[in-house]
Amino acid sequence: RITMKTRPVVLLQLLLWGICAFHIMVGIGLNVSTDFLSVMAGYYGADTKTWSPDFVYIVKPLGAFMIAMGVLAAQAATRQFEHRLTVYAFVLLFVMRAIQRFVFREDLTELFAISPVRNSGNMIFFLALAIALFVLYHYAGRSRAK
């Protein structure tokens, strides 16, 4: 039974499981299917028409990294208060991704044909994810301590 005391913990777990599932799904997809890379590029608003085989290959190690991050998210989802650093690492990752989208916005438009509006939306999404994870973690910790 979910109570007011356990609700933040459950929401935190759901968010971490979502982060886990996304990272593992994308990581596997990037390693097994070039078509999946096109799907993910579309999700981010990127144009894949000019991508070289070299670039497509280099995405595979990124996929391996994403699988590893998914495993870490699973570990944090099961025992989030024992893996505080893992949760904070994801907050840092999402903040950095938002900052990168701002700092390299012209490169994203020029190299990947991501529109400034789409890039801003992606940046806001990553920042919102970081804030949600950070706030939920602290709120869940406080409600757990009561």
Side-chain angles (χ1 to χ4, degrees), residues 40-128:
M40 288 310 300
Y43 173 76
Y44 283 103
D47 179 10
T48 61
K49 292 176 189 151
T50 60
W51 291 0
S52 69
D54 301 15
F55 176 79
V56 171
Y57 174 78
I58 204 67
V59 171
K60 293 184 185 321
L62 173 64
F65 167 78
M66 291 194 70
I67 292 168
M69 294 299 291
V71 169
L72 290 173
Q75 182 184 43
T78 58
R79 293 191 178 108
Q80 62 275 14
F81 299 108
E82 293 176 25
H83 299 287
R84 180 180 63 185
L85 267 175
T86 301
V87 174
Y88 287 143
F90 276 103
V91 170
L92 177 63
L93 173 66
F94 298 140
V95 167
M96 289 178 65
R97 292 296 293 129
I99 291 169
Q100 288 172 332
R101 290 203 167 268
F102 177 75
V103 171
F104 302 112
R105 64 191 176 277
E106 286 136 11
D107 292 339
L108 289 169
T109 299
E110 183 181 327
L111 297 172
F112 298 104
I114 298 174
S115 76
V117 170
R118 182 65 176 263
N119 184 50
S120 294
N122 291 341
M123 181 181 65
I124 290 166
F125 172 77
F126 280 116
L127 196 54

Side-chain angles (χ1 to χ4, degrees), residues 120-141:
S120 294
N122 291 341
M123 181 181 65
I124 290 166
F125 172 77
F126 280 116
L127 196 54
L129 192 54
I131 292 168
L133 187 55
F134 183 81
V135 169
L136 248 180
Y137 185 77
H138 284 282
Y139 187 63

